Amino acid sequence: MPTDSSGVTWQERKALIIGRAYPEPSKKHIETVCTGAITDDGQLLRLYPISWRYLNENQQYRLWTWATFEVRKSEDDNRRESYRVREESISILSHVAAQAERFSLLQKAISPDRETLDRRYHEDWTSIGLVEIEMIEFRTTKPRADWAENKGYVKQAHLYVDVKPLEQAPLDMKLRFRCKNNPACKTHFCRLIGWEYMEAFRKFRVKYGSDAEAIRKIKEGMVRRFSDPTISAFALLGTHSRYPVWMIGQLYFFEKHLAPMLF
């Protein structure tokens, strides 16, 4: 296992990228992208801090990318899945395209419901999980906080790095859902923080000419996919870094009765 100049030991892990949150400003790292990943034996990982937009092009992993990372368990984050990453160690290996293979890998980490995740969080700091869901409502609101007021360092200059403009997400996307496999579920209301959903909003805003029309198109797409009787929907849930508040990092849609691959 490699050891850096400070004597810290790092362990190399291979994992499949299954979620990327929207970039957040950072005092120490310019900006960070919290990344969700899963190992081939079904262990879920939270990888950070990663300044994704500042990585070399050949290191900029995407969803469904296998990659290796040198990691160590976070010392200041009790959540069991949280690992710090040495950015220079990131190496992309391959891409998973087949839906059956994707489902087979995710299937290893599916939990019955969010209620189970809540219980496990208080038992052993489990803070990431996959749950099959039904959408009740899709809603957008104004951002809860203004980066200009609360994260002034977003425009801070750095001596050795050309800082790239980082726009605050212009809205918060939220999903009310019911856990598919828990008849007693009283529904949950969570922010949807995946990077790709905000990028879709920006593209639609340009294409259709307004925020309202972009939101309408995203909502239409959500309703269509969740209403398809041939599709099963899953959410990657993870907690806030400081509070036991669950957020949705990624949504997945698979054909029902999809035959898993045998590895």
Side-chain angles (χ1 to χ4, degrees):
M1 291 183 287
T3 302
D4 63 21
S5 57
S6 64
V8 175
T9 300
W10 300 82
Q11 178 184 14
E12 185 175 88
R13 300 295 299 273
K14 174 185 174 184
L16 180 71
I17 305 304
I18 59 173
R20 295 183 306 161
Y22 189 77
E24 288 276 342
S26 169
K27 286 183 178 180
K28 292 183 178 180
H29 309 283
I30 307 176
E31 68 184 51
T32 63
V33 174
C34 186
T35 298
I38 188 170
T39 63
D40 55 9
D41 61 356
Q43 180 185 357
L44 291 169
L45 304 175
R46 176 186 292 103
L47 305 173
Y48 71 95
I50 301 175
S51 303
W52 189 90
R53 297 193 305 157
Y54 294 84
L55 294 175
N56 294 328
E57 187 175 350
N58 63 355
Q59 293 181 301
Q60 290 182 336
Y61 54 82
R62 299 184 182 277
L63 289 179
W64 307 114
T65 297
W66 280 109
T68 56
F69 308 79
E70 288 179 12
V71 302
R72 63 179 174 87
K73 185 68 185 72
S74 177
E75 296 176 352
D76 56 359
D77 187 339
N78 290 328
R79 295 174 297 175
R80 64 181 300 170
E81 303 89 355
S82 296
Y83 285 82
R84 292 193 171 274
V85 175
R86 289 183 72 187
E87 287 189 340
E88 61 269 28
S89 73
I90 298 172
S91 178
I92 294 175
L93 303 177
S94 60
H95 179 76
V96 175
Q99 290 292 304
E101 185 175 357
R102 293 177 178 181
F103 180 67
S104 296
L105 292 162
L106 293 187
Q107 192 178 41
K108 301 173 183 179
I110 294 174
S111 295
D113 47 45
R114 212 201 78 177
E115 289 75 13
T116 298
L117 293 176
D118 282 333
R119 186 181 69 252
R120 293 187 62 195
Y121 177 84
H122 294 287
E123 291 174 349
D124 62 8
W125 291 99
T126 290
S127 63
I128 304 180
L130 286 152
V131 174
E132 186 174 5
I133 67 170
E134 299 174 316
M135 186 180 79
I136 305 300
E137 175 190 9
F138 175 80
R139 186 190 304 178
T140 60
T141 61
K142 292 182 179 179
R144 297 171 301 164
D146 186 344
W147 282 358
E149 296 180 2
N150 297 283
K151 298 185 178 185
Y153 46 87
V154 69
K155 295 183 178 180
Q156 180 176 306
H158 291 259
L159 287 175
Y160 307 109
V161 178
D162 291 330
V163 177
K164 302 178 181 181
L166 177 60
E167 178 191 3
Q168 180 174 2
L171 51 80
D172 283 343
M173 298 184 187
K174 299 181 179 180
L175 212 66
R176 185 177 297 281
F177 66 89
R178 178 181 293 110
C179 298
K180 179 78 171 179
N181 298 307
N182 182 1
C185 177
K186 297 181 179 179
T187 78
H188 308 282
F189 196 44
C190 296
R191 288 178 64 210
L192 178 60
I193 62 171
W195 194 345
E196 69 176 79
Y197 305 105
M198 197 53 60
E199 289 305 300
F201 167 77
R202 287 199 173 97
K203 290 178 182 178
F204 287 164
R205 181 171 57 181
V206 172
K207 183 175 181 179
Y208 298 108
S210 72
D211 287 9
E213 192 63 15
I215 291 169
R216 188 177 73 83
K217 289 294 183 181
I218 291 174
K219 184 175 181 178
E220 282 182 355
M222 290 283 187
V223 170
R224 182 174 62 253
R225 301 193 81 177
F226 275 100
S227 301
D228 189 335
T230 69
I231 296 294
S232 294
F234 298 85
L236 176 65
L237 299 173
T239 63
H240 189 278
S241 59
R242 293 188 298 274
Y243 313 106
V245 175
W246 293 89
M247 299 173 288
I248 300 173
Q250 188 67 35
L251 294 169
Y252 313 97
F253 301 91
F254 295 105
E255 292 182 7
K256 288 185 177 179
H257 313 302
L258 184 68
M261 295 181 65
L262 299 176
F263 295 99

